[in-house]
Amino acid sequence: MKRNWNQAFQIAAVYVGTVVGAGFATGKEIVEFFSRFGFFGFISILMSGYLFVMIGSKMMRMAAQIEAKSYQEFNEYLFGKWAGSVINIFMLLMLLGVSAVMLAGAGAVFDEQLGLPRNIGVFLTIFLSYLVMLVGTKGLFAVNTFVVPLMITFSLILMFLSVQMPNFLEQFLYIPHAPDGWKSVIAPFSYAALNLGLAQAVLVPVATEVKDDWTIKWGGILGGLALTLILIGSHFTLIMLPNLELYDIPMAIIMKNLAPFFYWIFVLVIYGEIFTSVIGNVFGLDRQLQQLVPVSTMVSVTAIFAVSYLISLVNYSTLLSYLYPLFGYICMSFFILLWMKPFTPSKRN
């Protein structure tokens, strides 16, 4: 059988692009879950990386094997018909909430970094998302294949510059006092659960369309490894920023200080990653809504953006700090069942 590495890399790019959203690309989410705990945060990142590789790959392979066309079908397979329906309602609400966080993140980029009204960023994102949604899966692949390598490259550049700073080792090994330090123990599980639980909206239908088990398996492995690399690079960078919890977009602040010649390109890359997550979430929600209500893509996407926009009017940092940890705990049931569910690859693959 011919090994399709090109398609495996495309799946990996969609995997990374779906997970690396507003909170991840800006650094705010990594601060909240990991970097504020210092060295303990680094240990948590390594555990998260392992979970992204193993559980992410398993989720996509399992979805393709049962031919699940949406996360609704996949959750009903995991939880059963009744419990799956309840989980799907939560998933619908969470995806809307995360789409709102992404739109708020786009607004924060325009406001904090470009000095422009936040609504310009929000409405530009909505407009561009409409264009990609009209193309469908190919548009999703194309955008992620372009943006994800740029994000990895800039993460490595920042990491390289950070580790050369004279007090890097001291900061790396430092364990700051945190009143909620116990969260560093559950962070790798709640973080992986949050991101995989939400990413299934995109990854389940994509894996089912691809079908080939080898391609999906290696797409999941490569995507998980890339996410781990970006997490480590971002953490190495963020720990060098004093008062890192005060900023909405800490990664851009660091780039401005360490490599100002790359700053504007990096801001565009951050925006690009936010954009890939917006279209990923809307893609998954659109597939789900069309199974529930027979409407056109334009109608369902308009409804999704209308609700997301109203939620996004809340401050970006507030949304992320409260919604993401909450969603992470809710997704733990999905994560545990997925972990425990036996999986045997089909012989035809």
Side-chain angles (χ1 to χ4, degrees):
M1 182 180 68
K2 184 181 178 182
R3 303 305 193 189
N4 193 340
W5 282 105
N6 184 50
Q7 196 165 41
F9 278 111
Q10 286 185 328
I11 291 173
V14 171
Y15 186 5
V16 175
T18 304
V19 172
V20 181
F24 198 124
T26 60
K28 188 70 178 175
E29 181 181 319
I30 300 170
V31 169
E32 184 66 32
F33 280 89
F34 303 116
S35 296
R36 65 192 183 94
F37 299 118
F39 184 69
F40 285 162
F42 174 69
I43 302 300
S44 294
I45 284 172
L46 295 180
M47 185 62 194
S48 280
Y50 172 78
L51 296 173
F52 276 131
V53 170
M54 301 304 295
I55 309 300
S57 181
K58 180 179 180 181
M59 178 178 74
M60 287 190 282
R61 295 172 74 192
M62 194 179 288
Q65 189 176 75
I66 66 171
E67 299 183 349
K69 294 181 178 63
S70 70
Y71 70 83
Q72 179 184 12
E73 292 180 14
F74 189 69
N75 281 330
E76 287 178 358
Y77 170 74
L78 282 181
F79 293 91
K81 191 80 174 176
W82 184 85
S85 298
V86 174
I87 292 294
N88 282 325
I89 292 171
F90 276 117
M91 281 298 304
L92 191 68
L93 295 174
M94 283 192 290
L95 284 167
L96 282 170
V98 171
S99 296
V101 172
M102 300 302 163
L103 288 179
V109 169
F110 275 68
D111 180 28
E112 187 178 288
Q113 302 303 315
L114 303 179
L116 296 171
R118 66 183 301 280
N119 274 338
I120 292 180
V122 171
F123 289 121
L124 176 64
T125 305
I126 292 173
F127 172 72
L128 293 174
S129 298
Y130 268 111
L131 298 181
V132 175
M133 288 301 297
L134 290 175
V135 180
T137 311
K138 288 183 179 177
L140 195 65
F141 276 134
V143 173
N144 280 287
T145 305
F146 174 72
V147 174
V148 168
L150 287 175
M151 186 68 198
I152 295 172
T153 301
F154 277 106
S155 294
L156 292 175
I157 290 171
L158 282 176
M159 180 176 72
F160 179 74
L161 294 172
S162 297
V163 298
Q164 293 189 87
M165 295 176 74
N167 60 335
F168 171 76
L169 189 59
E170 180 185 337
Q171 287 297 111
F172 174 64
L173 297 174
Y174 178 62
I175 302 172
H177 171 71
D180 56 350
W182 59 271
K183 289 183 178 178
S184 65
V185 178
I186 62 170
F189 303 99
S190 61
Y191 185 75
L194 165 70
N195 283 291
L196 289 173
L198 295 170
Q200 65 168 318
V202 180
L203 300 182
V204 166
V206 165
T208 301
E209 285 188 24
V210 172
K211 294 184 175 67
D212 180 61
D213 183 69
W214 183 93
T215 304
I216 296 166
K217 173 187 172 182
W218 279 99
I221 292 172
L222 293 171
L225 289 173
L227 285 168
T228 308
L229 186 63
I230 298 173
L231 273 173
I232 292 172
S234 298
H235 175 72
F236 282 4
T237 304
L238 288 164
I239 58 174
M240 303 307 294
L241 179 67
N243 303 313
L244 74 170
E245 293 180 66
L246 298 180
Y247 302 99
D248 277 352
I249 309 176
M251 291 297 285
I253 302 296
I254 295 168
M255 179 62 85
K256 200 170 193 176
N257 294 334
L258 292 182
F261 39 95
F262 283 137
Y263 171 70
W264 291 110
I265 301 173
F266 187 63
V267 169
L268 289 175
V269 171
I270 288 176
Y271 176 76
E273 279 300 346
I274 293 172
F275 178 62
T276 60
S277 284
V278 170
I279 59 175
N281 279 346
V282 175
F283 175 82
L285 282 166
D286 173 56
R287 290 294 179 92
Q288 180 64 19
L289 286 176
Q290 289 197 34
Q291 286 200 329
L292 299 173
V293 185
V295 295
S296 69
T297 294
M298 290 300 290
V299 172
S300 66
V301 169
T302 301
I304 291 164
F305 275 127
V307 175
S308 298
Y309 173 72
L310 291 175
I311 302 172
S312 77
L313 295 175
V314 180
N315 178 266
Y316 165 63
S317 291
T318 305
L319 278 176
L320 193 144
S321 297
Y322 285 98
L323 288 185
Y324 272 34
L326 173 64
F327 290 168
Y329 300 138
I330 292 173
C331 287
M332 284 295 281
S333 58
F334 161 81
F335 185 74
I336 292 167
L337 265 183
L338 179 58
W339 194 337
M340 296 174 62
K341 194 84 170 179
F343 171 70
T344 306
S346 173
K347 289 182 179 180
R348 65 185 174 83
N349 290 321

